[in-house]
Amino acid sequence: MSEQKTRGGDTADERLTYEQARAELATVVERLEAGGTSLEESLALWERGERLADICQRWLDGARDRLDAARQARESA
């Protein structure tokens, strides 16, 4: 469950689309809810879920910023 390094020093996580991050987050939540994992694995899943939730939030924040900018541009035109 660790982040994979890619060329240029960025992580593969930084290239996930919103949909990819959301789908993986749903899988992580399902695994945590199902139980049956060791404490260490549960902690790793939780940490992964936190990273994925942050990615989703950045996408949503970016979408909100774009919508706000489009509205402002329309209003000032």
Side-chain angles (χ1 to χ4, degrees):
M1 294 278 165
S2 64
E3 295 180 33
Q4 298 173 323
K5 291 289 182 184
T6 58
R7 285 176 287 165
D10 66 333
T11 64
D13 287 350
E14 293 171 356
R15 298 187 316 191
L16 289 174
T17 66
Y18 170 78
E19 292 79 7
Q20 290 169 326
R22 187 189 65 211
E24 187 178 345
L25 178 57
T27 300
V28 167
V29 169
E30 287 174 9
R31 289 186 62 195
L32 284 168
E33 288 177 342
T37 58
S38 68
L39 176 60
E40 189 61 35
E41 186 176 3
S42 294
L43 288 171
L45 285 167
W46 180 270
E47 291 168 344
R48 180 67 179 154
E50 289 290 330
R51 285 193 301 273
L52 291 165
D54 287 343
I55 292 167
C56 288
Q57 190 60 56
R58 283 195 303 269
W59 274 108
L60 292 172
D61 291 343
R64 184 179 305 115
D65 291 344
R66 289 175 61 189
L67 288 171
D68 290 344
R71 285 184 186 128
Q72 284 181 333
R74 188 181 74 203
E75 290 172 3
S76 64

